[in-house]
Amino acid sequence: MSKLSIIIHPDPRLKKVASPITNITDRIKQLSADMLEAMYEASGVGLAAPQVGITKRLVVMDCSNEGEKKELILINPEIVWSSEENASFEEGCLSIPDVREEISRPLSVQVQFIGIDNTRREEFFNGLWATCIQHEIDHLNGKLFIDYLGPMKRSSITRKMIKLKKQLNRKK
């Protein structure tokens, strides 16, 4: 079982803007490994540090097909280019379990980040990978995918999550 717990919406920690990582310490390396473990355990494709209660600009993701791992650890990721062409994907979120909604985002993005080996990188993402990194960077900026929905839909989902949290707390 993962050492980390994924925070469920609504939680004020999910709305905070994460601070940049200035030093890649052993603690950051361990955190990224623990985040990957938590992400895989929850059957996710991406996880941002704020989702585990740590307001640092760290994202892990793996949108590869089952059976083949392509783990990415992105420190201080920043979108430097977005395509004008958008694509809609049915997005879900580990902090909003069992909810999926169509969200439109740029189809492709170019992202600058620092790798876990402390090298500055830039990578092009397309399709699901592009959606995932945009979703995770939103987390770093205190934004959830449901913030793209209308107020009625968003509050309905929030009520559902409040109910889920009460049920989960009863089981503890």
Side-chain angles (χ1 to χ4, degrees), residues 78-83 108-112 122-125 133 137:
E78 188 184 329
I79 295 169
V80 294
W81 174 86
S82 302
S83 65
S108 307
V109 291
Q110 189 84 15
V111 178
Q112 273 183 357
E122 196 166 302
E123 201 159 321
F124 177 82
F125 295 99
I133 189 59
I137 289 173

Side-chain angles (χ1 to χ4, degrees), residues 56-133:
K56 292 288 181 193
R57 298 188 78 78
L58 172 64
V59 166
V60 298
M61 51 191 270
D62 182 352
C63 299
S64 59
N65 295 324
E66 275 187 47
E68 60 172 77
K69 280 188 177 179
K70 186 178 186 240
E71 299 173 347
L72 271 182
I73 298 167
L74 302 95
I75 296 167
N76 303 332
E78 188 184 329
I79 295 169
V80 294
W81 174 86
S82 302
S83 65
E84 289 192 19
E85 184 183 353
N86 282 350
S88 284
F89 277 96
E90 196 178 66
E91 288 187 33
C93 180
L94 297 177
S95 291
I96 307 173
D98 304 322
V99 173
R100 301 190 69 73
E101 293 291 335
E102 284 284 321
I103 305 292
S104 180
R105 298 181 185 267
L107 175 64
S108 307
V109 291
Q110 189 84 15
V111 178
Q112 273 183 357
F113 62 97
I114 297 167
I116 199 69
D117 59 359
N118 206 18
T119 58
R120 182 163 284 292
R121 296 206 179 121
E122 196 166 302
E123 201 159 321
F124 177 82
F125 295 99
N126 192 40
L128 176 60
W129 286 89
T131 296
C132 184
I133 189 59

